[in-house]
Amino acid sequence: MDKIGHVTARRYRALVEQASHDVETLTSRQFALGDMALGIEPLHPRPGGNEGVYATLQAFADDIGLEFRTLLDYRA
């Protein structure tokens, strides 16, 4: 029986299929969270106008259990 790493080739293919589905789900959730963050605080074109924005988004990130930097990445 062929192995890939420490699993059979069959198990590997099953893991690839599951992981592909999980990546699709994760990607759609990332976009949804980014859209929510944009709804709370839209992007501001003016430099230096992010202090209050960051405080609000930090609170949102804390409330949903997500790292602040991750939320900013999703929002972008």
Side-chain angles (χ1 to χ4, degrees):
M1 185 173 300
D2 291 335
K3 291 188 90 164
I4 299 174
H6 290 278
V7 297
T8 65
R10 182 178 179 180
R11 176 70 178 138
Y12 177 83
R13 287 190 301 275
L15 290 170
V16 167
E17 184 176 330
Q18 179 182 352
S20 295
H21 173 72
D22 290 348
V23 167
E24 287 177 28
T25 301
L26 175 62
T27 300
S28 69
R29 296 295 83 208
Q30 289 171 334
F31 277 106
L33 289 167
D35 286 346
M36 289 176 207
L38 282 169
I40 294 168
E41 287 290 357
L43 294 175
H44 298 285
R46 60 189 154 89
N50 291 321
E51 295 80 26
V53 170
Y54 286 166
T56 302
L57 292 176
Q58 178 70 64
F60 182 61
D62 291 344
D63 288 343
I64 65 172
L66 188 66
E67 289 289 328
F68 174 66
R69 296 298 315 163
T70 301
L71 182 64
L72 289 183
D73 289 344
Y74 294 171
R75 181 172 167 257

